[in-house]
């Protein structure tokens, strides 16, 4: 199953979190990891809302050999990230926040891939294995 949630309002962030938590539960993640997955989705959706205004979160069950997990992809057509390495450093923020966003997402997941083009947008894909 694959769910895509368009992110244009703060309520869309809440919807994406709920769908992600429910999918994580359905896959078999325990409550702690369900909360982690919901946090990751919230952070990625919030980034879309704050920096790009419009984008989407896709949530899907994935399988690889004998592993099962969840993949979350955030896609936007925003301004892009000038220096991906810099935004992955704890404490870095362009919005005045504490800068735990993408570094926190990385800590809560097993894999993270970021592709960004200035003026074209950003795609962040994370996976969490059961």
């Amino acid at each position: 199953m694959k769910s895509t949630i368009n992110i244009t309002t703060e309520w869309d962030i809440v919807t994406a979190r709920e769908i992600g938590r429910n999918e994580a539960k359905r896959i078999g993640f325990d409550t702690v990891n369900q909360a982690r997955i919901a946090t990751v989705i919230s952070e990625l959706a919030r980034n879309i809302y704050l920096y790009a205004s419009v984008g989407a979160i896709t949530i899907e069950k994935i399988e690889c050999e004998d592993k099962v997990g969840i993949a979350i992809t955030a896609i936007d057509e925003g301004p892009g990230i000038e220096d991906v390495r810099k935004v992955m450093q704890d404490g870095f923020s362009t919005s005045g926040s504490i800068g735990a966003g993408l570094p926190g997402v990385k800590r809560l997941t097993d894999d993270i891939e970021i592709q960004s083009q200035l003026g074209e947008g950003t795609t962040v894909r994370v996976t969490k294995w059961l």
Side-chain angles (χ1 to χ4, degrees):
M1 186 182 123
K2 186 179 195 175
S3 300
T4 300
I5 305 94
N6 291 320
I7 307 297
T8 56
T9 70
E10 288 187 83
W11 285 109
D12 298 329
I13 299 169
V14 174
T15 300
R17 276 181 66 96
E18 287 177 16
I19 290 171
R21 184 187 289 272
N22 290 339
E23 181 63 9
K25 183 177 183 178
R26 197 180 68 73
I27 291 169
F29 284 97
D30 61 23
T31 53
V32 170
N33 280 303
Q34 289 171 35
R36 287 180 178 143
I37 289 163
T39 300
V40 164
I41 292 167
S42 184
E43 195 58 46
L44 293 174
R46 219 172 69 72
N47 283 351
I48 290 170
Y49 179 74
L50 287 176
Y51 300 111
S53 300
V54 176
I57 298 281
T58 300
I59 301 159
E60 60 187 316
K61 178 180 177 181
I62 53 173
E63 297 180 51
C64 181
E65 296 169 19
D66 59 345
K67 295 191 297 186
V68 175
I70 193 166
I72 300 138
T73 307
I75 299 172
D76 69 59
E77 295 176 13
I81 300 170
E82 191 170 333
D83 187 341
V84 172
R85 204 173 302 127
K86 192 180 261 187
V87 300
M88 291 307 293
Q89 294 172 3
D90 280 312
F92 178 81
S93 173
T94 57
S95 69
S97 70
I98 61 169
L102 288 173
V105 166
K106 182 179 181 183
R107 280 191 292 277
L108 293 172
T109 58
D110 296 316
D111 301 298
I112 184 170
E113 296 169 33
I114 302 172
Q115 297 174 336
S116 191
Q117 287 286 115
L118 285 179
E120 292 182 24
T122 302
T123 299
V124 179
R125 180 178 166 91
V126 297
T127 53
K128 179 81 175 159
W129 297 105
L130 191 58

